Each structure stands twice: as C-alpha cells, then as structure tokens.
Amino acid sequence: MRVLFLGEIVGRCGIGVIKNALKTYRRENGVDLVIANGEGATSGFGLGFQNALSLQHMGIDVLTMGEKSFFKLDMVEGISKRSSILRPANYPEDVPGRGVRYISVGERKVCIINTLGMCNFNNPHLNNPFLGTEALLNKIHTETNTVFYVFHASATAEKMAMGRMLQGKVSAVVGTHSKVMTADARILDGGTAYITDLGRCGASVSVGGFEPEHEIRKFRTSVQTRSHESWEKPQMQGLLVDVDDQSGKAIGVSPVRLDVAVEIPAPKNMEEK
Ligand SMILES: [Fe+2]
C-alpha cells in the first residue's frame, strides 16, 4: 500500500497546488490513500466546509485538523456530516466530529488517528495525547495492523517523543502544524515511518504561507495586522510511505517536494483571524 501524507494546505495557493497537481501525482505514482492537513486551507486560518469538500473532490481521502479545527464556524456542523474530516481525538467527547477513523483501502482496513499536541497551545480542555494511547491501540489492533498517526504539534521534541513512543506499534507517525518540512524522514525500528513535520502545500518561499513583509512587521511592532497569503514558489510537500500489506510495517519513505504552477488571482487580503 502506498500512502501520501501531505503537509498543511495554506490558503488559495495551497488549494491551487492540490487542484493542479494531486490527481496526476496520485495516478503516476500509484498512490492508494492521501491524507492531508487542511486546517489552514481557508485563508490560512481554519477550514471552511465547502473548501473541505472541494479538496476531497481534488483527490484527498482524509483531511486532518489541529488547533484551528473550528475557526470556520460552518465546520462545527459540517464535520459531523463528513467522517473523512478528522479533528483531534484528544478533544472532549462532546466536541463535534471524531479523531479516529477506519477506512478501506482496496482489500485492507486501515485506521487513521489525529491528535493535538500540548506545547504552545492554549487549550485547557485537551487530554494528554501521550496517555490512553496503549488502550486505544490495543482496541484498534483487533481490527487492523495498519495505523497512521497524524500528530499536530508545535514542538519538535513533542513530535519526536510521540514517534519514539509509538515506534513498532503503528505504521507511521507524521507531524503537522510547523509548516516547515523537516529532513528527518526515516523508518524507525519496528517498521514505523516517521517525519517531524510534513511541511506545507502552498508558497514554499514565505513565512508559513504568508507574505514576509507583513509577518516581519508584526514581529517588529507587536501590532497584529492581517496576514497576506504568498504565491511564491508553490510546492506540494509531504511524505510518500510504502507499507507492507500483510504486516502493516513501513517499508519505504520518500519525501515529496514538488514544484507546482499555480495561477495568481487578483489581489485579495487574507481574512484576519
Ligand atoms: Fe496548527
């Protein structure tokens, strides 16, 4: 089985990257499953429900989220209608949506888990994602040995610790949120594919997908102004993972950093958070 994990899709440039590149890439590379983080797809801050549907129409099977899961209010209702959009599993039970999803890929049943890290997020309602994992995996392993863990976290140490805790227990641990692709893709002992951060789909030469001049001004003045999406050197970034169909172990990892031509529309300011 070949799985493509994509880094956070940022703004219209990111959506353009997916629209222009993904279906062809899927076909040419024999990709069976595409999992992407979508929480910045709508103007860089959240994921509107219609954008989510469009991205899935463009070839993404499962969208994961993070601390911005409900920045766009229509997702509060929308997420319950679409089980292929995951919010962090370590939110309280009453939060709409789900964070664990089983999906069929050909003859195989696989499980996808999305959780949110604790460092640098002001979220008092979050459960510790390092706790309860053993019980959850014991339950999942009665259904499938192919498990993909998408960890949306800020601190590299937190993501690395999660990778080491889950090595040999899941097929892959991939990090999102930082939007900067790390150069540490590998297969950990026990057959777990790992990367600290998948990077981003969108402007690769930018500040997290945004125009540098506005982000620099924020740091220089501490005045929060609108971010402006960047269109500089659009790329599709992520990790291609090959998984053995029988054992569920990762047998290959290949970073993806694909230049994509995206047409720049008429100027439009980013929506403020
Ligand atoms: Fe995030």
Side-chain angles (χ1 to χ4, degrees):
M1 179 189 308
R2 176 166 272 191
V3 185
L4 175 63
F5 295 94
L6 290 176
E8 185 167 328
I9 300 160
V10 185
R12 290 176 297 162
C13 183
I15 293 173
V17 163
I18 299 300
K19 182 181 178 186
N20 292 354
L22 183 56
K23 282 192 176 172
T24 301
Y25 186 89
R26 264 193 95 136
R27 188 175 62 249
E28 291 181 348
N29 292 277
V31 174
D32 300 300
L33 174 67
V34 178
I35 302 169
N37 181 275
E39 75 155 15
T42 304
S43 309
F45 297 98
L47 176 60
F49 190 58
Q50 289 307 316
N51 277 155
L53 298 183
S54 297
L55 286 167
Q56 293 192 315
H57 188 67
M58 294 171 193
I60 293 171
D61 298 300
V62 176
L63 283 160
T64 63
M65 303 281 261
E67 86 285 2
K68 299 187 182 77
S69 294
F70 299 109
F71 270 33
K72 297 295 177 259
L73 287 180
D74 64 349
M75 188 55 74
V76 178
E77 279 193 17
I79 199 167
S80 299
K81 300 174 190 163
R82 200 82 175 178
S83 61
S84 51
I85 305 171
L86 299 183
R87 49 82 170 160
N90 51 331
Y91 277 166
E93 272 186 22
D94 288 348
V95 171
R98 62 171 77 181
V100 179
R101 165 92 201 269
Y102 293 95
I103 189 171
S104 293
V105 181
E107 303 282 297
R108 303 290 301 167
K109 185 179 190 179
V110 308
C111 182
I112 300 145
I113 306 171
N114 179 199
T115 61
L116 182 60
M118 298 177 291
C119 297
N120 302 331
F121 295 132
N122 182 22
N123 193 334
H125 308 298
L126 203 63
N127 293 323
N128 185 332
F130 288 85
L131 303 179
T133 307
E134 197 169 35
L136 175 63
L137 286 177
N138 285 341
K139 185 166 171 248
I140 290 170
H141 285 156
T142 65
E143 303 278 338
T144 178
N145 61 7
T146 305
V147 183
F148 302 120
Y149 193 99
V150 182
F151 192 28
H152 195 82
S154 176
T156 53
E158 192 177 12
K159 290 189 260 197
M160 289 173 172
M162 184 62 80
R164 296 307 296 265
M165 189 179 86
L166 297 181
Q167 74 177 69
K169 297 173 181 163
V170 302
S171 309
V173 176
V174 295
T176 56
H177 175 74
S178 307
K179 299 187 280 185
V180 176
M181 192 177 184
T182 54
D184 60 346
R186 69 190 67 209
I187 300 176
L188 299 171
D189 288 347
T192 299
Y194 176 81
I195 189 168
T196 299
D197 202 279
L198 291 166
R200 86 183 71 120
C201 296
S204 64
V205 182
S206 61
V207 179
F210 303 125
E211 280 184 3
E213 62 184 281
H214 297 276
E215 306 309 307
I216 293 167
R217 194 176 304 141
K218 286 183 196 175
F219 282 107
R220 286 174 61 90
T221 64
S222 295
V223 176
Q224 294 300 309
T225 57
R226 288 174 184 274
S227 293
H228 289 222
E229 61 191 325
S230 170
W231 298 84
E232 196 167 349
K233 205 173 188 311
Q235 283 190 341
M236 186 172 81
Q237 298 178 349
L239 186 69
L240 202 55
V241 177
D242 288 313
V243 178
D244 181 77
D245 282 343
Q246 297 308 311
S247 67
K249 304 287 188 190
I251 52 176
V253 291
S254 178
V256 175
R257 198 187 287 267
L258 182 73
D259 289 325
V260 181
V262 177
E263 190 177 339
I264 303 174
K268 178 188 173 188
N269 286 346
M270 296 292 295
E271 184 178 325
E272 197 166 13
K273 174 182 168 183

